[in-house]
Amino acid sequence: MAFYSRVSGSVGMITLQNPPVNALSAAVRQGIVDTMHRALSEPEVKSVVICGQNGKFCGGADIREFGAKMTGPPLVPMVHLIEAASKPVVAAIEGIALGGGLELALSCHYRIAHSKARLGFPEVALGLLPGAGGTQRLPRLIGVPASLDLITTGRQVTAAEARQLGIVDEVTDLNAVDAAVKFAQSVADKSLDARRISTYPCPRPPDLDTIFERAMQQVRRSARGAIAPGTCVQAVHAAVTLPYAKGMERERELFSVLFNSGQARALQYYFFAQRAVSRWSTASGARWDTSKPRPVHKAAVIGLGTMGRGITVSLAQAGFSVVAVETQEKQLLEAKQAVSGMLERGAKRRGVPLAHDKIKYSCSVQAVADVDLVIEAVFEDMALKKTIFQQLSAICKPGALLCTNTSGLDIDELASQTQSPELVVGMHFFAPAHVMQLLEVVYGPRSCPEAVATAMQMGKKMGKVSVAVGNCRGFVGNRMLKLYLEQAFFLLEEGATPEQVDQVLEEFGFPMGVFKVSDLSGLDIGWKVRKADGLVLPAFTGTSARIRGGSRYSPLGDLLCEQGRFGQKTGKGWYQYDKPGGRVAKPDPWLFGFLEDYRAQHGLVARRIDHQEVLERCLYPLINEGFQILQDGIAAGPEDIDVIYVLGYGWPRHRGGPMFYASQVGLDKVVERLEHYQQIHPDVPGLQPCRLLRKLAAISNPAIHKWREVIQKPRSQL
Ligand code: 3HC
Ligand code: NAI
């Protein structure tokens, strides 16, 4: 709702009240309309201030209402009522003015912002455009190029930048509401003719066509199939080419197309999913609201390779004191130089405070004796990791949390090396660790709730989205990825090319197809794991070369590694590159010959594989494994899996994540297609729909938010 009061005798004050972000729910909109009428009708009131309760102006339209039937006054007439008011209306912007919140502010005649406030149009991230006049008013106020930037990217600006752009009239370090009241008094008698943004002509720079062409190219490049950014460009175009009223009609049409799209539904689901994962629970019943994190002031990182360096940077930037440990002076020095460079680049590009003095480097593991939490990031070698956990257990102070960044080894086996197995958890970061937002917090059967809560909170403080997952081979992300990779290999055996598979996946919205990503990460990593698992056998022909443990296995990746083709780092992998370390992937005629020979050797006849099969074969087994993970209790809900895939594996956000995608395709359809492929390839692993997937498909494809009711039933009933 909105609360009305009178201050200093002549100022009508409208305070939005809808915690936590004063979103414009039906009740708030009704409140604003009612209180505006009241302020306009009271003769003593000469001017009006609109502000938000609890130091937050407004977080925009109430996203929770989007799925339901619209009630209450619509936003557009509400902002027109404010702009048309005969008394000056001043927005007092504290905290946030986002989306509809900024549109509300733009309908006011003046805007006063607190210096810590952030303003922006994040609608594009929800699959929408600013639909209450934002696309028509902002260009009139700050011009086309700056508006295109803010509206198509959703970038939020500080109050200082907003002032520079001309969005706000004044910025204050003091109380913004008090400042707005004083300001409102000072402008009470001023004419409003020049203050209604909708009446401004929209600036028309001479190179208008080029600006819009570039904007379209830019969004096409970065949107990866998302429709909202391009539609935002069209709406801004309407502001320049049409009179205001017609521009508003166009905005409404475009908004309606987006609002009713599957992409908007996916992005809005994802918005809430990313917030839902912080309310974690474990299979044994520990929960976020009953588990208290331990205080962590000082942390250590063991092993300063690719991952350890990024983790060190991330910890230091978050304000933790860090002890960074390597084996020998040479490696330590190299790591120190690399970390310093990363910190400096962070300071330069993102304005993060330089944190060199937060880090102490050492070649001795003894240096970690007084830390509160250790993150081990040495080679992926169980024997080495076990030795390190034994050492840590003897050296660290009682109560210190011992964490591992392993990509998939058994957390419990490591915990068993320590005196306090309950204090061992996985903190699985993603490369580059100072950039990637995802953290899988892996709890073992003995990890205590406090340890999980501490790791989850550490991740949050480091600016990550932490997702709690159970302990199994590969945890959630890599366990599902295995199925995706395997299918891609099988498709090559059956007749596809890496370019074909990658193209289909990139058209779906992945930034890179599976083969390009493998080349980037290094083919040798998976090869080492497969060797350790005993899957890599000496080359021989015949069907048994393609069978492991009774299931089909493709040795294609192993054969490439045997040729020294490790991907970008060696200049050759699934593609060729102009030099070792080269980035531009080109199809490699050698590989076509290699695949032909391989097929001939194994009696395989290449067939034409269409787009649909590539997509379904790659995605449905991965999705099926997601259901198996839910069935096994490794992830608490589909949101956890979706957030992991969007933030860690490049799953296109506008498709919501693999589990949401499956819900949109229809679970019965996913089951049917898996069964279809299973019939054709009975020996191929991963094609048999799991029990939970079948069960949900059989109870007529319930909405994704209802899945938990089925998942939470005793596992024997699934
Ligand atoms: N509607 C409904 N709920 C909202 C909301 C909104 N616009 N914005 C935030 N919330 C909810 C969150 O879901 C969360 O709820 P939970 O505690 O139950 O999970 C709670 O508010 C707090 O949110 P955060 O955890 O994200 O809190 P932060 O302080 O980290 O961030 C924020 C606050 C910057 C406002 C962030 O929540 C945000 O970016 N919100 C979305 C803002 C947005 O996209 N606005 C545009 C809406 S669309 C629109 O306005 C259309 C119009 O143009 C017509
Ligand atoms: P890396 O090979 O780049 O670095 C490992 C570092 O550990 C080396 O610098 C090595 O000198 C150091 N080291 C080895 N023994 C040590 C010891 N006893 N004491 C101190 N330092 C020691 O390896 P990377 O890629 O950083 O991987 C580390 C861990 O992170 C592995 O468990 C890996 O599975 C995991 N991981 C790797 C990801 C990646 O993309 N590289 C992603 C996520 C997890």
Side-chain angles (χ1 to χ4, degrees):
M1 56 176 278
F3 177 76
Y4 183 74
S5 58
R6 182 105 65 78
V7 285
S8 308
S10 63
V11 179
M13 171 96 81
I14 297 173
T15 309
L16 314 192
Q17 292 181 328
N18 185 13
V21 301
N22 297 320
L24 295 162
S25 62
V28 172
R29 297 195 305 275
Q30 187 66 60
I32 294 174
V33 169
D34 292 347
T35 50
M36 263 314 289
H37 282 305
R38 183 165 167 193
L40 294 178
S41 66
E42 287 182 355
E44 303 82 355
V45 169
K46 305 289 178 216
S47 53
V48 181
V49 166
I50 302 183
C51 63
Q53 195 188 31
N54 294 333
K56 286 186 179 133
F57 180 69
C58 177
D62 194 328
I63 308 164
R64 287 184 201 280
E65 288 186 351
F66 284 175
K69 198 170 167 288
M70 163 99 184
T71 57
L75 267 177
V76 171
M78 184 193 91
V79 294
H80 281 148
L81 169 75
I82 295 168
E83 194 188 60
S86 52
K87 300 176 185 178
V89 185
V90 182
I93 302 174
E94 295 176 299
I96 44 165
L98 298 175
L102 181 53
E103 291 174 304
L104 169 65
L106 292 179
S107 71
C108 297
H109 307 114
Y110 299 93
R111 286 156 292 282
I112 311 294
H114 186 263
S115 51
K116 296 241 163 72
R118 285 177 299 136
L119 298 87
F121 281 130
E123 284 89 340
V124 70
L126 298 170
L128 300 174
L129 53 77
T135 66
Q136 303 305 299
R137 283 200 176 83
L138 194 66
R140 286 178 159 79
L141 187 63
I142 67 169
V144 171
S147 300
L148 281 170
D149 169 32
L150 295 196
I151 294 173
T152 61
T153 63
R155 185 170 76 83
Q156 294 176 16
V157 295
T158 59
E161 190 179 348
R163 173 84 185 86
Q164 215 174 19
L165 288 168
I167 299 176
V168 299
D169 301 288
E170 261 184 29
V171 176
T172 176
D173 289 325
L174 306 173
N175 184 313
V177 178
D178 291 348
V181 169
K182 273 202 196 113
F183 189 93
Q185 285 173 315
S186 74
V187 294
D189 301 328
K190 292 230 166 92
S191 158
L192 292 175
D193 289 347
R195 300 303 312 177
R196 295 187 177 99
I197 299 173
S198 70
T199 64
Y200 297 2
C202 192
R204 282 184 76 100
D207 52 349
L208 200 66
D209 290 346
T210 320
I211 291 174
F212 278 103
E213 261 165 44
R214 283 216 190 107
M216 245 342 168
Q217 279 166 5
Q218 166 71 28
V219 298
R220 270 197 208 109
R221 263 199 308 272
S222 53
R224 297 195 273 128
I227 52 173
T231 314
C232 286
V233 176
Q234 291 179 38
V236 174
H237 191 259
V240 194
T241 49
L242 299 173
Y244 175 76
K246 290 271 175 221
M248 284 300 288
E249 274 175 32
R250 183 78 180 128
E251 183 190 87
R252 196 184 61 223
E253 280 164 24
L254 294 169
F255 183 81
S256 156
V257 170
L258 292 180
F259 191 80
N260 295 311
S261 68
Q263 292 198 2
R265 269 194 297 283
L267 286 159
Q268 288 154 28
Y269 157 81
Y270 182 78
F271 174 84
F272 290 114
Q274 193 167 311
R275 280 148 186 88
V277 297
S278 62
R279 293 185 282 272
W280 57 270
S281 62
T282 69
S284 59
R287 289 167 52 92
W288 63 284
D289 50 353
T290 51
S291 311
K292 204 165 167 266
R294 293 187 174 196
V296 175
H297 305 289
K298 193 168 179 183
V301 179
I302 314 281
L304 303 178
T306 312
M307 294 306 290
R309 293 172 191 188
I311 298 169
T312 302
V313 168
S314 203
L315 284 165
Q317 285 174 339
F320 293 100
S321 297
V322 191
V323 181
V325 180
E326 250 297 337
T327 40
Q328 287 166 27
E329 286 296 340
K330 185 170 168 285
Q331 278 93 335
L332 189 70
L333 193 66
E334 269 173 29
K336 187 174 175 181
Q337 279 167 352
V339 167
S340 300
M342 287 152 83
L343 287 172
E344 271 149 31
R345 282 192 295 280
K348 209 161 144 194
R349 287 188 199 150
R350 291 185 292 125
V352 193
L354 266 177
H356 295 299
D357 58 342
K358 287 275 171 197
I359 310 171
K360 291 215 162 29
Y361 295 87
S362 174
C363 272
S364 166
V365 72
Q366 299 292 337
V368 308
D370 66 341
V371 305
D372 307 303
L373 178 145
V374 183
I375 303 173
E376 165 279 308
V378 303
F379 305 124
E380 187 78 338
D381 175 337
M382 184 48 113
L384 173 63
K385 286 189 194 279
K386 275 183 170 174
T387 311
I388 289 180
F389 270 75
Q390 287 160 10
Q391 286 174 336
L392 291 173
S393 180
I395 295 166
C396 289
K397 66 181 185 191
L401 229 71
L402 304 184
C403 310
T404 172
N405 183 47
T406 174
S407 325
L409 297 177
D410 185 357
I411 304 293
D412 199 37
E413 202 173 333
L414 291 175
S416 69
Q417 308 302 308
T418 69
Q419 288 153 19
S420 307
E422 71 282 5
L423 295 180
V424 174
V425 288
M427 284 182 82
H428 180 212
F429 292 86
F430 288 71
H434 61 303
V435 177
M436 292 288 280
Q437 251 195 306
L438 178 64
L439 173 68
E440 274 185 329
V441 170
V442 190
Y443 57 88
R446 287 183 279 178
S447 309
C448 68
E450 255 189 326
V452 183
T454 309
M456 291 291 288
Q457 195 194 52
M458 279 292 285
K460 189 165 185 205
K461 286 190 176 162
M462 292 164 81
K464 311 288 178 201
V465 177
S466 316
V467 186
V469 301
N471 181 35
C472 64
R473 190 72 196 265
F475 316 134
V476 169
N478 287 342
R479 175 168 157 182
M480 289 167 68
L481 189 74
K482 181 170 175 283
L483 280 291
Y484 172 71
L485 283 167
E486 272 174 3
Q487 292 298 325
F489 286 1
F490 293 141
L491 287 169
L492 294 194
E493 291 191 346
E494 292 164 31
T497 61
E499 300 80 89
Q500 184 197 356
V501 174
D502 281 356
Q503 194 189 340
V504 171
L505 295 169
E506 286 163 23
E507 276 170 18
F508 179 77
F510 283 99
M512 276 188 190
V514 56
F515 292 107
K516 281 192 198 142
V517 174
S518 300
D519 273 0
L520 175 69
S521 334
L523 270 54
D524 51 323
I525 298 179
W527 190 37
K528 267 188 212 144
V529 175
R530 293 193 295 273
K531 276 204 245 180
D533 288 345
L535 294 171
V536 180
L537 302 180
F540 59 94
T541 52
T543 41
S544 57
R546 296 171 51 243
I547 299 288
R548 303 285 185 276
S551 291
R552 225 173 101 188
Y553 172 83
S554 170
L556 279 174
D558 306 334
L559 296 174
L560 248 61
C561 287
E562 277 166 25
Q563 303 269 347
R565 297 178 72 106
F566 292 169
Q568 286 189 4
K569 62 174 99 163
T570 55
K572 286 188 174 95
W574 296 108
Y575 292 88
Q576 58 176 331
Y577 301 84
D578 57 353
K579 56 176 189 291
R583 296 273 170 113
V584 183
K586 282 198 232 118
D588 189 346
W590 176 89
L591 195 92
F592 303 138
F594 162 78
L595 287 174
E596 272 178 17
D597 291 349
Y598 173 87
R599 292 184 197 118
Q601 238 177 16
H602 293 280
L604 299 165
V605 180
R607 63 185 171 89
R608 237 195 110 258
I609 300 174
D610 64 14
H611 184 288
Q612 182 189 358
E613 178 170 356
V614 172
L615 200 62
E616 292 178 345
R617 288 276 301 277
C618 288
L619 300 190
Y620 291 1
L622 171 146
I623 286 167
N624 187 33
E625 192 65 13
F627 281 98
Q628 185 66 53
I629 281 170
L630 290 174
Q631 186 181 312
D632 296 347
I634 295 295
E639 297 86 355
D640 300 277
I641 297 177
D642 286 336
V643 169
I644 288 172
Y645 258 76
V646 169
L647 292 184
Y649 295 85
W651 186 281
R653 197 176 291 226
H654 59 270
R655 294 191 189 268
M659 309 318 279
F660 182 82
Y661 177 68
S663 77
Q664 298 301 290
V665 169
L667 303 187
D668 43 353
K669 164 104 190 291
V670 175
V671 169
E672 181 211 308
R673 298 305 293 164
L674 281 167
E675 282 173 343
H676 165 79
Y677 293 120
Q678 198 198 4
Q679 233 171 20
I680 302 171
H681 310 283
D683 56 340
V684 166
L687 296 177
Q688 186 175 7
C690 78
R691 261 184 306 158
L692 175 63
L693 171 56
R694 279 186 197 284
K695 171 122 192 180
L696 286 165
I699 50 175
S700 45
N701 206 16
I704 194 162
H705 63 272
K706 302 243 176 202
W707 291 5
R708 277 182 198 247
E709 291 164 22
V710 178
I711 296 165
Q712 277 157 7
K713 290 207 168 119
R715 312 235 167 252
S716 56
Q717 290 178 27
L718 290 176

